[in-house]
Amino acid sequence: MVALEEQGMLNLAEKAVKTALKSGADEAEAFLNQSLTNSVTIEIGQISKTSRIMDRGLGIRVVMKKAIGFSYTNVLEDAAIEEAVRGAISFARASKPDKDWNGLPAKKTLPSVTGTYDRRIVDLHSEDLVKVASLMLDAAENTDKRAFPIEGGAGTGVLSAAVANSNGVGAADEGTVVECSLAAIGREGGEVTPECVEFNFEREYDVDPEWVGREAARLAASALGAKRIESGTMTVVFTQFALQQLLYYTLMRAVSADYVQRNQSALKNRVGEKIGSECVTVYDDGLLEGGIRTGRFDGEGVPQQKTMLIEKGVLRGFVYDNYTAGKEGRVSTGNGSRAGYLSTPSVDTTNFHILNGSKSAEQLVSGLDSGLLVYSVQGAHTSNPVSCDFSVVATPAWLVRKGEVGRAARAVMLAGNVFEVLKNVAEVADNGRKVGQLVAPWVAVENVKVIGK
């Protein structure tokens, strides 16, 4: 399968829109995306396989008297696209009108972005990725013999998208990603630790596989000898992994206009209220340099932007796609997200950016008389997205005593409410890092309920 250039993708999208209009649609939109991925997989401490996968397809959305139909195809030939158009038309005719439909977005000038495409990634081959994976494994082995890599790998992706609609939107873009990751366990005597994971994921070729290997091994070895701790309330330092897991199912959904409009967000009618500590300022930044979800436009062709959500603890607004914005007479914030060509848009955050503080991570920890350093949590998916209550297992986690990170803590649970966490943020470090949709530093939170023995 030969990769399509940006202009070729846009031409196909525009052609699909014209076909839909000729077939009787009042409005039409076509979204086309293409991904070419190369990967090397690590299993049980060894490089096990390489793979190269290309996926591409086109999704067509049509509107007929405010009734919406959608269909898609992964065969980009005229006959298949025409069949997808007919399918969307058929679904629209069978659907009920949506009284809240306010039309597809109009054409707007698109912004420029930086740090999202690197030709060096495009030119990498499987042999290069094997070297990256080997460097990770060697670094882990040389760091601590008690650490054993169990899974991971290295990979690249070249991702292209094009969108066109009957209101004149027509846009195409291309980006790159590169990643390497390693999960390790600590083994000593009869003890085996939980998985400890480290990774780099970048839009430009700026990964350090040796650091990833060393850190995965260091974390796994330091998780050995874990002991149960007393229950109580204490200051907890959340790393980016733990924050991402905790916030994805709670705060990131609470600031979505879709959740707000469906009365599924505890933040409804609270814009202007103080919901967190003055240490907390959060943007949704679709234009962040090198951001994992940075792009010139969203899944509807609307320009992405930087949107303030929380300013020094005060709620300032929500993120919108074109549909939810239309329901309130607003303008989309460029947060129409799609799972590729297979889906219609829905509201989602881009780069959920918690701004850095002024202290280093080391200073954050050294200032604690006692507390807990939590690297990751399990069970965050069971959090209540409406109330934002959570109950999670902190693993791996380490006790902090007199400013020093000590032994690992075993079978520790954290319970509470995300908005209480926001209010009790005492300090924010300066070590911002990208972990999925989250861009954040370490955060110290006081009065967290910790359940031990």
Side-chain angles (χ1 to χ4, degrees), residues 122-144:
V122 179
D123 293 337
L124 287 176
H125 298 288
S126 295
E127 295 82 359
D128 302 305
L129 297 178
V130 169
K131 182 179 179 180
V132 169
S134 298
L135 287 170
M136 279 194 300
L137 289 172
D138 290 345
E141 181 180 356
N142 294 331
T143 297
D144 199 305

Side-chain angles (χ1 to χ4, degrees), residues 155 157 159 176-181 199-204 206-208 212 290-293 433-436:
L159 315 170
T176 53
V177 294
V178 60
E179 62 90 17
C180 58
S181 62
F199 78 99
N200 280 166
F201 193 112
E202 301 292 340
R203 301 296 299 273
E204 296 182 313
D206 184 25
V207 294
D208 187 345
V212 170
I292 304 304
R293 292 201 168 190
R433 181 182 177 189
K434 295 172 287 192
V435 178

Side-chain angles (χ1 to χ4, degrees), residues 213-260:
R214 287 194 302 268
E215 277 298 289
R218 184 189 68 80
L219 289 168
S222 67
L224 287 164
K227 303 294 184 182
R228 296 185 74 93
I229 65 173
E230 297 291 336
S231 298
T233 59
M234 63 177 66
T235 298
V236 172
V237 176
F238 291 95
T239 72
Q240 293 91 349
F241 280 96
L243 278 175
Q244 193 274 337
Q245 293 154 346
L246 198 59
L247 299 183
Y248 177 77
Y249 295 99
T250 54
L251 185 58
M252 291 187 194
R253 299 189 181 189
V255 298
S256 163
D258 181 47
Y259 277 76
V260 174

Side-chain angles (χ1 to χ4, degrees), residues 279-283 306 308 353-357 428-429 439-441 443:
C279 299
V280 179
T281 294
V282 183
Y283 287 90
K306 183 176 181 180
M308 178 172 277
H353 189 190
I354 299 175
L355 296 195
N356 283 358
V428 177
V439 184
V443 173

